[in-house]
Amino acid sequence: MKSQSKNGQIPASMGAVLVAVGVVYGDIGTSPMYVMKSIISGNGGIGKVNETLILGSLSLVIWTLILLTTVKYVLIALQADNHGEGGIFALYSLVKKHGKWLIVPAMIGGAALLADGMLTPAVTVTTAIEGLRSIPTFHALLGNDQNKIIVITLVIIGVLFLVQRAGTTSIGRAFGPVMTIWFSFLAIAGIGHIWNMPGIIRALNPIYAVKILVSPENHMGFMILGSVFLATTGAEALYSDMGHVGKANIYLSWPFVKVCLILNYLGQGAWLLENHNVSELNSIPDMNPFFEMLPGGIRPLGVLLGTVAAIIASQALVTGSFTLVSEASRLDLMPHMQITYPSMVKGQIYIPLVNTILWISCSALVLYFRTSAHMEAAYGLAITLTMLMTTILLFIYLLLEKGRKGIAVIFLLFFGGLEGSFFLSSLSKFTKGGYVALFMAILLFGIMLVWYRGTSIEDSQAVYLDINKYTDQLKRLREDEEMPFQTDNLVYVTKDSKMEELDRDILYSIMDRRPKRAKAYWFINIQVTDQPYTREYVVENFGTDFIFKIQLRLGFKVGQRVNVYLRQIVEELIASGELPSQERNYSVYESGDVGNFQFCLIRKLLVPESDITPTGRAAVSVKYAIRHVAGSPARWYGLENSSLIIEYVPLFIKMKTLRPLNRVELNRNSK
């Protein structure tokens, strides 16, 4: 586990910089394999290439990297860290107090980022495997049969998702060195062609970027931005992965990565200008300048490194998706799901349901689109939405958190306009496959919206009672020997955050539904803090030694393992004398002071008599359907191996007025 400074940041070191290269830049590091390919294909192929098109396209790519990645994310977004953590949900946690509406851009951005996580493995691995055709030996084996490429891609993706369960700690240690080799390879491959055509460095002049947008040599017109944007799809990862590698290590590693990327793009441009008259290249289907510019003897190494880099990029997106879903669940934007921790590495989690959905989705995308060229049409559209939503939240952060009104307005106008242009350009891909990305983003946003709305309705109907008014009844129940003994410690998880209050449904469960006699009653409330790794608790005992309201204050990146935390709390309260010792007479283990536990989870059901709007009823009904698919919250709270009761109670929003029954006399003469 990386050491952290007092502000939550991982300090700078050569080892941490190496980790950053392996963890953060996988997505953006594989973009040279398909960006120029997409631009050239959209302009009619290599036979249509000329100096104006190449210089303008390269200038657009380079300045997109500079403005969106370096300026927006590295220089500005990384300053908006939440105790060392980054990403759209961490940013939302910083600004949510400034308006309830801010949940909307957070949900849209999170949904689009998850949709991008489904597309990245499909497009990067397929592109890398298609590079095998550029090697004569493999071309003889594969030919132009795309089915063979698809099979190889599906096998690699399958292995990628299968290994998630075991964790990737040992593999992860190799990510940094491998990606460092990859970026060095990108730079060296580009330098050789730049040396032959040094005039290509004119593309660093932004004037060429502006001119190409209106030049007749650009057959794509304004829509070329949709292909250019592919160069920066991994920029969001620089911000999202800040907590894993540390801000300082991103500052130190990004210049190296950016220079390597730019050198490779310039090299591809130089090679295209050198070879645009070679007729044999025109006959190659989906000609990829990245692989074709490599000398024949080096090309197998390029394909191998590209495949490994694609797998690393995919791995980063998969683990990032786990983290994103986990954070969304803690913010009550998604259902609680089973989470496991396959290693001791900070932040490494595994969510079986999410892993399965991603696996099926990636495989389905490969089968549906078949070629990387078709996937590129869908790729990038969703992530533009995430970037736009991040810009909105950063604007609020700069305006209201930092009080920099002028800078905030300039930031919103410039980057909002820039990313809006990329979004509109990417919409040109809608009918060519972009609809798939938008459909996935809309579906994920719908899940978040329904869950958030359903939770709000549940919270609005909750009735909270003063526990102090019921302590005498609980004491009598505890001492009533005529009642069957339930357990030593009866535990309820509750949403009420006020220490003196308790949800009416819980008291109803203890005293009315079937009286539950126990030595001690525990009511656990979990508060998710804006800090990522908070671990605190507060105790209220109401002047008794058998009723305890516990508030667990856990960071939004901390697992909510209630059983583990509660055992620690019980041991500490027994040690302090606040709770009587609970010696057990029978146990396969050594006798101890802590008795047994039984957990009771209360789940709401929507009843037909509830007086609720059609949209509200639909939201709650869909939420409960999603909850059923997501599985029991017992796994989320770490209670899957505990003694557990699940009780269902009706969700009484407001009861409809029902007409009373009329009693009629029994006709005793009827047969």
Side-chain angles (χ1 to χ4, degrees):
M1 184 180 294
K2 304 282 187 301
S3 61
Q4 288 184 301
S5 59
K6 291 182 179 180
N7 63 358
Q9 288 286 346
I10 296 172
S13 68
M14 287 305 298
V17 168
L18 195 63
V19 170
V21 173
V23 171
V24 177
Y25 305 111
D27 193 3
I28 203 168
T30 54
S31 58
M33 290 196 293
Y34 45 78
V35 172
M36 293 305 294
K37 172 192 168 189
S38 178
I39 292 173
I40 299 307
S41 175
N43 275 281
I46 192 171
K48 303 292 184 180
V49 163
N50 57 51
E51 186 178 83
T52 301
L53 175 64
I54 294 302
L55 289 177
S57 301
L58 288 175
S59 186
L60 280 172
V61 169
I62 291 167
W63 281 96
T64 296
L65 281 171
I66 292 172
L67 293 174
L68 276 184
T69 309
T70 303
V71 177
K72 178 187 173 182
Y73 283 99
V74 176
L75 297 182
I76 298 176
L78 291 188
Q79 299 302 314
D81 70 285
N82 189 347
H83 295 264
E85 292 295 324
I88 194 158
F89 287 135
L91 179 58
Y92 165 71
S93 295
L94 286 174
V95 300
K96 64 181 181 180
K97 60 180 176 287
H98 297 297
K100 290 184 178 180
W101 67 272
L102 292 171
I103 191 65
V104 176
M107 288 192 293
I108 294 174
L113 197 56
L114 282 172
D116 181 66
M118 296 178 184
L119 280 162
T120 296
V123 68
T124 54
V125 176
T126 303
T127 301
I129 299 305
E130 285 176 348
L132 289 171
R133 288 199 182 115
S134 65
I135 304 171
T137 303
F138 284 98
H139 188 271
L141 293 172
L142 299 173
N144 293 325
D145 186 0
Q146 188 66 17
N147 289 328
K148 295 177 181 178
I149 298 293
I150 291 172
V151 170
I152 297 172
T153 301
L154 290 176
V155 169
I156 292 175
I157 288 175
V159 172
L160 172 70
F161 284 101
L162 277 174
V163 301
Q164 300 302 319
R165 181 182 298 274
T168 55
T169 304
S170 57
I171 302 174
R173 294 192 186 101
F175 284 2
V178 170
M179 290 304 293
T180 301
I181 293 171
W182 168 250
F183 285 115
S184 301
F185 179 83
L186 291 180
I188 294 170
I191 288 172
H193 294 286
I194 297 171
W195 183 267
N196 295 331
M197 187 172 285
I200 198 70
I201 62 174
R202 287 178 291 164
L204 296 173
N205 187 340
I207 296 298
Y208 288 100
V210 177
K211 287 182 177 180
I212 196 62
L213 291 174
V214 294
S215 172
E217 304 295 340
N218 170 23
H219 301 298
M220 298 174 73
F222 178 75
M223 301 309 169
I224 194 176
L225 292 177
S227 295
V228 170
F229 183 76
L230 296 176
T232 190
T233 51
E236 189 76 25
L238 273 75
Y239 185 36
S240 299
D241 290 331
M242 176 169 53
H244 293 108
V245 300
K247 183 191 305 183
N249 297 300
I250 294 177
Y251 287 148
L252 291 173
S253 57
W254 171 241
F256 163 72
V257 171
K258 182 173 72 172
V259 168
C260 291
L261 291 172
I262 291 175
L263 287 174
N264 190 266
Y265 283 122
L266 290 173
Q268 288 188 52
W271 179 85
L272 284 165
L273 290 179
E274 288 175 323
N275 295 274
H276 70 281
N277 291 322
V278 179
S279 57
E280 291 84 356
L281 293 171
N282 266 317
S283 62
I284 299 176
D286 289 333
M287 193 279 301
N288 192 331
F290 174 80
F291 292 112
E292 295 295 335
M293 79 170 181
L294 300 176
I298 302 297
R299 197 169 297 164
L301 176 62
V303 174
L304 175 63
L305 285 174
T307 303
V308 174
I311 293 171
I312 291 175
S314 301
Q315 173 63 41
L317 262 294
V318 171
T319 54
S321 297
F322 292 156
T323 302
L324 200 66
V325 169
S326 174
E327 292 174 8
S329 297
R330 292 189 183 99
L331 292 171
D332 254 337
L333 301 178
M334 276 191 166
H336 292 173
M337 286 172 269
Q338 179 189 7
I339 294 179
T340 61
Y341 300 83
S343 76
M344 296 303 293
V345 175
K346 171 190 168 185
Q348 186 171 113
I349 61 176
Y350 170 69
I351 307 178
L353 180 61
V354 175
N355 191 66
T356 301
I357 292 173
L358 287 175
W359 187 353
I360 294 172
S361 300
C362 288
S363 300
L365 287 167
V366 172
L367 291 169
Y368 179 72
F369 286 112
R370 295 186 61 80
T371 69
S372 62
H374 292 151
M375 292 178 200
E376 288 157 12
Y379 196 45
L381 181 55
I383 202 66
T384 55
L385 279 174
T386 300
M387 289 189 173
L388 277 167
M389 298 305 106
T390 301
T391 294
I392 292 172
L393 295 178
L394 281 172
F395 165 71
I396 298 297
Y397 175 79
L398 292 171
L399 180 68
L400 301 179
E401 281 291 306
K402 294 299 182 181
R404 298 176 180 176
K405 184 177 180 180
I407 294 176
V409 171
I410 294 172
F411 175 84
L412 179 65
L413 292 176
F414 181 80
F415 285 102
L418 182 62
E419 290 160 355
S421 299
F422 279 116
F423 177 70
L424 292 175
S425 177
S426 296
L427 279 178
S428 65
K429 303 177 179 182
F430 182 82
T431 57
K432 298 177 182 178
Y435 62 88
V436 174
L438 275 186
F439 171 77
M440 291 189 298
I442 291 171
L443 179 63
L444 291 165
F445 173 73
I447 291 173
M448 291 186 188
L449 186 62
V450 164
W451 197 265
Y452 182 76
R453 172 65 175 151
T455 301
S456 298
I457 292 173
E458 286 180 336
D459 292 343
S460 68
Q461 68 85 44
V463 175
Y464 298 106
L465 303 175
D466 186 348
I467 304 179
N468 291 290
K469 294 181 179 180
Y470 299 90
T471 55
D472 289 341
Q473 287 194 56
L474 290 173
K475 182 179 180 181
R476 291 200 306 273
L477 174 59
R478 176 175 180 264
E479 297 172 350
D480 188 350
E481 296 184 358
E482 294 183 2
M483 298 300 300
F485 184 72
Q486 183 93 13
T487 183
D488 291 324
N489 298 285
L490 183 61
V491 187
Y492 287 83
V493 179
T494 176
K495 284 191 172 184
D496 40 274
S497 57
K498 293 183 179 180
M499 298 300 288
E500 70 278 4
E501 292 183 346
L502 195 62
D503 192 326
R504 174 188 57 186
D505 292 333
I506 292 177
L507 289 171
Y508 176 85
S509 170
I510 296 173
M511 297 187 291
D512 294 78
R513 191 176 188 115
R514 184 177 70 82
K516 299 177 178 65
R517 181 178 168 223
K519 288 183 180 179
Y521 297 94
W522 302 86
F523 309 112
I524 311 297
N525 169 246
I526 300 172
Q527 290 293 305
V528 179
T529 68
D530 292 341
Q531 293 77 31
Y533 295 105
T534 305
R535 288 181 175 86
E536 300 174 349
Y537 74 91
V538 179
V539 180
E540 172 60 66
N541 62 16
F542 308 98
T544 73
D545 60 358
F546 63 93
I547 302 175
F548 298 93
K549 179 75 175 284
I550 307 292
Q551 186 174 89
L552 292 177
R553 297 172 182 172
L554 304 176
F556 60 86
K557 289 205 172 190
V558 175
Q560 298 180 2
R561 309 287 289 180
V562 171
N563 59 339
V564 176
Y565 297 131
L566 183 58
R567 179 165 290 275
Q568 174 199 332
I569 294 169
V570 171
E571 290 174 349
E572 292 181 2
L573 291 179
I574 291 175
S576 67
E578 297 170 77
L579 175 69
S581 177
Q582 302 175 337
E583 292 187 13
R584 289 180 294 173
N585 296 322
Y586 309 101
S587 175
V588 296
Y589 304 104
E590 293 183 7
S591 59
D593 294 335
V594 180
N596 52 43
F597 293 81
Q598 188 165 58
F599 295 85
C600 186
L601 296 179
I602 293 179
R603 302 185 74 169
K604 310 281 189 177
L605 286 175
L606 190 64
V607 295
E609 294 81 13
S610 297
D611 188 6
I612 185 174
T613 64
T615 56
R617 179 178 292 276
V620 173
S621 299
V622 174
K623 175 185 175 177
Y624 290 168
I626 295 171
R627 183 182 67 185
H628 179 74
V629 174
S632 170
R635 293 184 178 274
W636 169 265
Y637 292 123
L639 307 178
E640 59 269 31
N641 297 318
S642 304
S643 177
L644 183 66
I645 304 171
I646 296 180
E647 291 188 349
Y648 291 87
V649 298
L651 177 65
F652 293 107
I653 307 295
K654 178 184 175 184
M655 300 309 294
K656 296 176 182 176
T657 302
L658 299 178
R659 294 178 61 185
L661 297 173
N662 295 319
R663 179 175 176 175
V664 296
E665 295 296 326
L666 176 65
N667 187 352
R668 300 183 181 277
N669 295 324
S670 64
K671 294 184 180 179

